[in-house]
Amino acid sequence: MLDYASLDAYLKHGAKKKSLAGVSAVIMGPQGPAYSFQYGYRDAALSIPVDEETMFGIASMSKSITALCACILASEGRLDLDAPVCDFLPNFRLPGQPREAVTVRHLAMHTAGIPPMEPLEWSIAMNSPDRGESPWLNQMRSTAPNAMKTLDQVMDYIAQCGYAPVGAPGETMSYSNEGYALLSYVIDQAAGVPLESFMQERVFAPLGMGRSILDNGIDAARALSGGNITSLFERVDGVLTCDDAWSILPPFRGCAMVKSTARDMAVYYRALANMGMHEGKQVLPAQAVDLLIGRYHPLSARATMCMGLYKREKAGHVICEHSGALHGVSTKGGLLLGEGYGFAVLCNQGDEDMDELMWGMYNAVMGLPLEESHAWFLPAGREFSAPQMLRGRYVGHEGVPSVLGIHCQDGRMEGTLDGEPLRLVYCGGTRFLAESREGTGASRRLEFLIRNGRAWGVRCGTRVFERL
């Protein structure tokens, strides 16, 4: 049985420690709602409290719902996940690869080979309401070749940008928003109706998710909310700011555009945990859930990507989860596979990490100390044997280009990320934690990809940077 008072205190302490504007967190259990927590406010005046009906953006938590739509179609024989993407989008081309090499499954699993690139950031900068001047906005607007308002513009850039693929299709996982933009339009064709309609008819409505919508904008979500939708907060130079300038990124529909409540999202994750069962009925095809997160995807203590959700083992439990981030949006959702528990924590403040809050909720259900970490890059207690293979500079082009440099100093591996000094802690295999020497910023996970005696790339977080 959940210790509600202790979990309340833990989440309240975490929200206060981070100085969050507003949070809504829900656990759905096998017998129904198991826990609900609301904190803070949803308006600029900090006068209207967040409640369980408050709608938030969920950003990249949208991806698993989009992938589930593809899996539903596959389970019904309406979409072949191993079909070439070019069968649906004839203009799609990945440089250096045959037209047929990239499949629908590759898009859903982030293994198409599409490198980190700028189109999503350009689309946000060129299509969203004005949020005032910032170095990021100025650079995005000055470098954008067009408004990135259509999928054709995204596909043209993938084909012509000059960035090499990150491995052959199916070889390497590198998180790709562009891949999910493509997947959204593949689903349109396979379903015969827009993704927005299919998601509503086959996921939201059957699960009773009455306050959830894939809105390629904000007007429909605002109308559905009846006014109970959060404003968007950011901390700029230590000062909390607030606006209602929701991100609009037209081609990236199923990538990041769902708005929902913590309760609705916890219901969704619980249905996945139950292999599609909801309130005693098979609402989602079990085969679709199996394709999404089941037997086709490996399980280990290190998180691996399924279709729109990461999967890992912790203390005998199978956790599937994903986070989300946009302007004024920081979220995380997950489930305990086979145990009937779904979890969601939604925050209306950007650039915040929801891991510790979510870990506390997992731990409460799993019978672990609330503060127990779920980090899975852990120090190996030894030094890496071949630092010469890793020395060099690596670049990722998502938004403002980011450069990681790796070198040796007094026999120890060190680095810099965009000029910030890093200390590297070896974690086994070719994995390292990169910690700020200045004590600023979160640790970054690095996993080097080695071929023929040297690293050709490094997975920095979830994106593969290529060697310069």
Side-chain angles (χ1 to χ4, degrees):
M1 184 174 179
L2 288 176
D3 181 346
Y4 299 105
S6 295
L7 185 53
D8 272 348
Y10 175 87
L11 295 180
K12 188 174 293 185
H13 173 76
K16 285 185 175 180
K17 180 177 69 173
K18 292 176 174 290
S19 299
L20 302 179
V23 175
S24 181
V26 171
I27 302 173
M28 293 295 294
Q31 309 306 319
Y35 178 76
S36 182
F37 170 86
Q38 282 73 45
Y39 172 90
Y41 301 93
R42 63 175 174 87
D43 67 317
L46 302 181
S47 61
I48 307 175
V50 167
D51 61 39
E52 197 174 277
E53 297 299 310
T54 301
M55 289 178 65
F56 293 73
I58 69 167
S60 287
M61 282 169 61
S62 307
K63 288 185 172 73
S64 76
I65 313 175
T66 298
L68 175 63
C69 289
C71 291
I72 290 172
L73 291 165
S75 73
E76 296 174 346
R78 300 165 63 187
L79 174 62
D80 180 0
L81 295 176
D82 295 314
V85 173
C86 65
D87 284 0
F88 303 90
L89 304 170
N91 292 334
F92 171 69
R93 182 173 66 85
L94 186 66
Q97 293 294 331
R99 292 180 66 251
E100 303 84 0
V102 178
T103 68
V104 177
R105 191 185 304 272
H106 293 147
L107 299 180
M109 294 185 66
H110 298 285
T111 58
I114 300 171
M117 56 178 59
E118 306 92 338
L120 177 134
E121 303 270 341
W122 281 333
S123 190
I124 293 173
M126 301 299 287
N127 295 289
S128 302
D130 193 6
R131 300 168 183 161
E133 294 298 307
S134 72
W136 170 82
L137 183 62
N138 292 337
Q139 181 159 348
M140 291 300 95
R141 288 182 172 172
S142 66
T143 58
N146 53 59
M148 286 294 162
K149 201 165 188 173
T150 69
L151 186 69
D152 281 338
Q153 290 172 328
V154 175
M155 290 193 294
D156 287 347
Y157 190 75
I158 292 172
Q160 300 170 13
C161 65
Y163 304 147
V166 287
E171 179 184 6
T172 304
M173 195 287 287
S174 183
Y175 194 93
S176 175
N177 289 304
E178 289 70 27
Y180 266 76
L182 295 164
L183 182 61
S184 299
Y185 289 84
V186 169
I187 293 170
D188 289 346
Q189 294 194 37
V193 296
L195 171 62
E196 290 82 350
S197 299
F198 190 80
M199 191 177 289
Q200 171 63 32
E201 294 165 7
R202 298 302 303 273
V203 181
F204 296 154
L207 291 175
M209 297 170 65
R211 296 183 68 78
S212 300
I213 187 171
L214 173 54
D215 179 12
N216 197 15
I218 189 57
D219 292 343
R222 185 168 282 130
L224 180 64
S225 77
N228 191 356
I229 190 167
T230 184
S231 293
L232 307 171
F233 294 81
E234 297 280 344
R235 196 163 293 280
V236 180
D237 297 327
V239 177
L240 191 65
T241 65
C242 181
D243 60 48
D244 290 293
W246 287 79
S247 297
I248 297 176
L249 41 158
F252 294 87
R253 304 145 57 214
C255 173
M257 299 297 283
V258 171
K259 286 79 177 177
S260 187
T261 65
R263 185 187 186 281
D264 272 10
M265 291 309 301
V267 166
Y268 165 73
Y269 290 116
R270 182 183 64 174
L272 297 185
N274 288 329
M275 297 302 292
M277 294 290 291
H278 173 68
E279 307 296 347
K281 297 180 180 179
Q282 190 74 51
V283 169
L284 305 173
Q287 184 184 355
V289 180
D290 199 21
L291 288 168
L292 189 81
I293 55 175
R295 57 185 156 160
Y296 304 97
H297 306 284
L299 176 64
S300 75
R302 297 193 294 271
T304 55
M305 173 58 73
C306 301
M307 293 193 183
L309 288 168
Y310 290 92
K311 182 178 181 180
R312 61 185 174 87
E313 186 273 337
K314 171 73 173 180
H317 302 266
V318 179
I319 297 171
C320 299
E321 61 189 352
H322 204 290
S323 58
L326 277 174
H327 172 69
V329 176
S330 298
T331 65
K332 197 171 185 75
L335 60 103
L336 298 184
L337 188 59
E339 299 183 52
Y341 281 96
F343 306 78
V345 55
L346 308 182
C347 176
N348 57 2
Q349 188 168 314
D351 292 323
E352 299 292 344
D353 188 340
M354 295 294 106
D355 278 355
E356 289 187 12
L357 301 186
M358 180 63 87
W359 293 348
M361 295 201 297
Y362 288 154
N363 291 339
V365 171
M366 295 162 60
L368 301 174
L370 296 181
E371 66 278 4
E372 180 163 326
S373 172
H374 284 229
W376 47 275
F377 264 55
L378 301 174
R382 53 181 290 187
E383 296 298 319
F384 182 59
S385 64
Q388 71 280 0
M389 294 185 180
L390 312 185
R391 283 196 295 252
R393 297 170 70 234
Y394 306 81
V395 64
H397 293 278
E398 190 169 7
V400 178
S402 188
V403 177
L404 173 72
I406 301 296
H407 59 274
C408 290
Q409 181 72 30
D410 299 325
R412 296 182 61 86
M413 291 189 62
E414 296 188 349
T416 58
L417 183 61
D418 301 328
E420 179 187 12
L422 301 173
R423 180 174 70 92
L424 269 61
V425 179
Y426 180 51
C427 296
T430 58
R431 300 181 300 277
F432 295 78
L433 272 179
E435 300 176 340
S436 171
R437 280 198 167 281
E438 310 295 326
T440 60
S443 298
R444 294 171 174 86
R445 297 189 302 268
L446 306 179
E447 183 171 11
F448 291 87
L449 307 172
I450 296 175
R451 184 184 295 132
N452 298 326
R454 70 178 236 162
W456 63 266
V458 57
R459 188 176 294 108
C460 185
T462 60
R463 276 75 164 171
V464 171
F465 289 16
E466 291 201 85
R467 181 188 283 273
L468 283 169

